[in-house]
Amino acid sequence: MPTVNLTTATVSGDIKDTETFEFTISSAQGNNVTITGKDEVGSTDSWFTPNPATITQGDTSVTVTAAQITPLGQYVTYIVGGMNVSSAAHIVVGDSMPGLERRERKAS
């Protein structure tokens, strides 16, 4: 499963529309950590659901679902509440359908 590590602001794996991925932190916090989707200029953008997502006190991850494809040449990001982070990863959410279409063509 793809992950977005909030502690290091890095993405591992490919995030695809309608598929799940995880927001993770390196160590459990003594409070809830909230993650709110933003677009590249900082406006609220519900590119995952639920938005905001919450890593509950004592946990190190939350699973969410990608909710939209990133427009060509753009990215989405997030803002974190409840812990200090130095920056936010620039994330591109791809379309999950092209892979399905390719498999269908091979089968015919």
Side-chain angles (χ1 to χ4, degrees), residues 51-70:
N51 183 21
T54 302
I55 299 175
T56 309
Q57 175 183 350
D59 288 338
T60 58
S61 68
V62 63
T63 300
V64 297
T65 302
Q68 71 179 11
I69 299 165
T70 307

Side-chain angles (χ1 to χ4, degrees), residues 11 21 23-26 33 35 45 50 59 61-62 64 75 77 83 86 88 103 105 107:
V11 180
F21 67 97
F23 284 110
T24 65
I25 54 180
S26 297
V33 174
I35 308 104
D45 192 353
D59 288 338
S61 68
V62 63
V64 297
Y75 60 85
T77 189
M83 68 178 279
S86 58
R103 282 192 293 250
R105 283 192 211 122

Side-chain angles (χ1 to χ4, degrees), residues 1-106:
M1 174 182 303
T3 61
V4 177
N5 185 311
L6 302 175
T7 307
T8 61
T10 56
V11 180
S12 175
D14 293 327
I15 298 174
K16 301 287 186 182
D17 181 45
T18 72
E19 296 180 4
T20 59
F21 67 97
E22 285 185 323
F23 284 110
T24 65
I25 54 180
S26 297
S27 60
Q29 301 293 302
N31 54 285
N32 290 343
V33 174
T34 59
I35 308 104
T36 304
K38 298 288 182 179
D39 65 16
E40 64 184 68
V41 294
S43 298
T44 300
D45 192 353
S46 293
W47 61 270
F48 60 86
T49 186
N51 183 21
T54 302
I55 299 175
T56 309
Q57 175 183 350
D59 288 338
T60 58
S61 68
V62 63
T63 300
V64 297
T65 302
Q68 71 179 11
I69 299 165
T70 307
L72 187 63
Q74 296 182 23
Y75 60 85
V76 288
T77 189
Y78 53 83
I79 188 165
V80 178
M83 68 178 279
N84 292 326
V85 293
S86 58
S87 62
H90 294 173
I91 300 164
V92 174
V93 179
D95 186 352
S96 61
M97 293 305 291
L100 294 175
E101 291 170 3
R102 273 184 253 141
R103 282 192 293 250
E104 287 173 6
R105 283 192 211 122
K106 287 181 182 177

